[in-house]
Amino acid sequence: NLGGNSALPHFTARKMAPSPSSSTSLPSLLFTAAGVITGAALASIYYKTKAKTQQENNILPTREEPPTNKDRSQIIQNIGEYLCNTTNSANNNKVCVLGGGAFGTSLAYAAARNGYTVSIYCRDEAQAASINSSHINPRYLSDTILPSSITATTELKGAVLGCMLIILALPCQKTPDFLRENRSILPGGVVMCVTAKGLYLPTRQLISDAIEDALNNTNHDGGGEGQQQQKRKPNPLAFFSGPTFASEIVKDNPTVAVVASQTLYHAVHVQKILSNETNFRLYVSQDIVSVQLGGALKNPLAVGAGLLTGCGYGINTLSAYVTRATGELRQLCVALGGEADTINGLSGVGDLMLTCFSTQSRNQRCGVRLAHGESIEDILKDGMTVEGVATATVAVLYADACGLDMPLFRAVAGVIEGKLNCEEALKRLFERPLGLEMKKK
């Protein structure tokens, strides 16, 4: 049963008939059962073939298959190793933060406040020297005096040596190349907590897929096809997201976020290191798809909120926009393998509200400047990273692949790409056919 104009067909099971009476023939029952089994088999074959094609063409993010018995056995083995390592390294309380930007500094602050020794890796020697001597990051959050247990270094090997957690706080588009170049230095088996919110644009992947490719040295450069790859223990990945500005974390403002990992105990590992009982609380999740997509796809939607603010519209308009944007975000994430409940939480609605309503958001400020007549080239020329600009195009590609309408995503992408101005985009939205607020499932 093809669902409307959906590019990804779905199969609709018929409602179960009442229990067969004595008059129902055995051949009829066998025929019905054979039909159900055949239909299920065809559905399974279709989805596996479709998913493989989509992944090979880098159209959609990877959707995880349900765990097999072998997978479950591996999980048990992994958690056993994790518990042994945790017990054997009880005296190890070192956390490494890769990246001396605002968010890396704020999470270093959170870990140090809980009694952990933190080593920040940064490339700027003057920045590292200032953190070590005066406990101030001169480039980011310079009003904050950092705990003395935070040190900085420009030597990566020393930064990661003996650490129990690596917080990967690098810009999204630079993260995979950095990991590929330094994979031999990074210790295997250590949990990596990723703070980057975005899609990896060269391959249109979730950042999790791009990171795994980099750590496994997939598509490595300069080695040739016959190069022998050195085996390394995989790094469990966790993903940090939610309504969090770095400047408010270091001010000890009450803050709540979420960290997701495929295996829950790795998320709990991060949760216990960063959470405190006063003002910083992490929840955990296993829905890494929605947590990543929520953090990435809210960026172009925040540009749209800035467009409305820059046009001078009031809270009526902005509240309606954020509400409808949440629906589009939820619909797209579910189509790509995520869970609706996750989008209803901190990494979806929470992060979207933060970026749409606050002038601290780079994406929101970008939208305001676009509405005031500046070109996207001039805005990006200032060196400001605006993930929503490039992500808007990818979001529309995802929507097309899934056969989804997504009028707000398309309107924002049209303005960013210079195909529409604000008035034209708004006119298109209001000229759409009237209908139900919520479509029946």
Side-chain angles (χ1 to χ4, degrees):
N1 178 29
L2 296 182
N5 64 348
S6 172
L8 302 178
H10 62 276
F11 294 88
T12 304
R14 296 181 181 272
K15 291 184 178 180
M16 292 293 292
S19 300
S21 64
S22 57
S23 62
T24 306
S25 65
L26 180 61
S28 175
L29 288 174
L30 292 175
F31 181 80
T32 302
V36 171
I37 293 170
T38 303
L42 288 173
S44 176
I45 292 169
Y46 171 82
Y47 275 114
K48 287 180 180 177
T49 305
K50 189 73 173 178
K52 183 178 180 183
T53 302
Q54 291 165 349
Q55 290 166 20
E56 287 174 351
N57 294 333
N58 285 324
I59 296 174
L60 298 176
T62 303
R63 180 170 184 168
E64 296 296 327
E65 294 291 331
T68 63
N69 288 334
K70 183 178 179 182
D71 293 332
R72 293 187 181 97
S73 298
Q74 188 63 49
I75 290 172
I76 298 295
Q77 179 181 338
N78 289 345
I79 195 169
E81 291 179 2
Y82 166 77
L83 292 173
C84 287
N85 291 337
T86 304
T87 303
N88 294 335
S89 59
N91 294 325
N92 177 13
N93 69 340
K94 179 180 176 181
V95 172
C96 173
V97 177
L98 300 182
F103 211 79
T105 302
S106 70
L107 292 189
Y109 175 89
R113 188 175 49 185
N114 288 346
Y116 292 91
T117 299
V118 183
S119 178
I120 297 177
Y121 168 75
C122 55
R123 293 181 175 177
D124 187 330
E125 292 186 0
Q127 182 184 17
S130 175
I131 292 172
N132 293 332
S133 60
S134 60
H135 309 299
I136 291 174
N137 185 338
R139 298 184 61 183
Y140 303 94
L141 308 176
S142 56
D143 293 338
T144 302
I145 302 297
L146 300 174
S148 59
S149 55
I150 297 177
T151 58
T153 179
T154 57
E155 196 227 334
L156 180 59
K157 188 173 183 180
V160 298
L161 182 65
C163 65
M164 62 186 301
L165 172 67
I166 296 174
I167 296 176
L168 200 52
L170 300 171
C172 182
Q173 304 310 316
K174 296 181 179 179
T175 295
D177 286 343
F178 174 86
L179 295 176
R180 187 174 285 110
E181 293 167 6
N182 296 287
R183 65 188 293 274
S184 62
I185 301 175
L186 300 172
V190 178
V191 176
M192 285 187 176
C193 178
V194 182
T195 67
K197 296 178 180 178
L199 303 171
Y200 187 55
L201 300 176
T203 53
R204 298 170 184 168
Q205 289 176 295
L206 290 177
I207 190 62
S208 59
D209 295 326
I211 287 174
E212 288 186 359
D213 286 348
L215 291 174
N216 295 330
N217 216 15
T218 304
N219 297 325
H220 62 281
D221 49 7
E225 292 182 4
Q227 179 178 338
Q228 294 294 321
Q229 300 301 314
Q230 181 182 1
K231 278 193 172 183
R232 68 189 301 279
K233 195 171 182 180
N235 293 90
L237 298 179
F239 300 90
F240 184 103
S241 192
T244 50
F245 283 135
S247 60
E248 299 200 11
I249 293 175
V250 296
K251 289 177 182 176
D252 293 332
N253 287 357
T255 299
V256 182
V258 63
V259 59
S261 182
Q262 286 182 328
T263 43
L264 199 59
Y265 59 90
H266 291 133
V268 171
H269 179 68
V270 180
Q271 179 189 47
K272 289 182 176 178
I273 290 174
L274 295 179
S275 296
N276 64 54
E277 296 180 353
T278 307
N279 49 44
F280 196 70
R281 182 179 181 87
L282 290 185
Y283 288 91
V284 293
S285 169
Q286 288 181 275
D287 184 8
I288 66 169
V289 172
S290 288
V291 167
Q292 290 180 84
L293 285 173
L297 296 178
K298 54 84 181 171
N299 289 326
L301 294 173
V303 174
L307 288 169
L308 294 174
T309 300
C311 288
Y313 297 116
I315 196 65
N316 281 10
T317 310
L318 197 56
S319 297
Y321 171 82
V322 171
T323 303
R324 298 298 295 178
T326 300
E328 290 194 14
L329 180 61
R330 184 188 304 112
Q331 188 180 6
L332 185 52
C333 286
V334 170
L336 295 173
E339 298 176 11
D341 285 346
T342 306
I343 297 303
N344 293 337
L346 294 163
S347 61
V349 175
D351 210 4
L352 182 64
M353 290 175 64
L354 180 89
T355 51
C356 286
F357 288 114
S358 175
T359 56
Q360 291 189 59
S361 164
R362 294 187 298 267
N363 291 285
Q364 192 267 3
R365 295 200 305 271
C366 172
V368 171
R369 293 173 67 178
L370 278 173
H372 290 169
E374 292 187 59
S375 69
I376 199 69
E377 292 76 19
D378 287 339
I379 294 171
L380 299 180
K381 197 184 297 180
D382 293 346
M384 183 170 69
T385 301
V386 185
E387 295 285 2
V389 170
T391 306
T393 302
V394 181
V396 171
L397 291 174
Y398 282 179
D400 287 340
C402 297
L404 300 176
D405 190 11
M406 306 284 108
L408 294 180
F409 273 111
R410 294 180 190 278
V412 172
V415 175
I416 289 174
E417 294 165 5
K419 298 175 182 177
L420 299 171
N421 60 37
C422 293
E423 291 75 18
E424 291 168 339
L426 197 62
K427 187 171 184 291
R428 285 193 182 186
L429 290 170
F430 272 82
E431 286 179 346
R432 297 174 68 249
L434 300 174
L436 292 170
E437 181 188 12
M438 301 289 180
K439 293 181 180 179
K440 294 182 179 179
K441 296 181 180 180

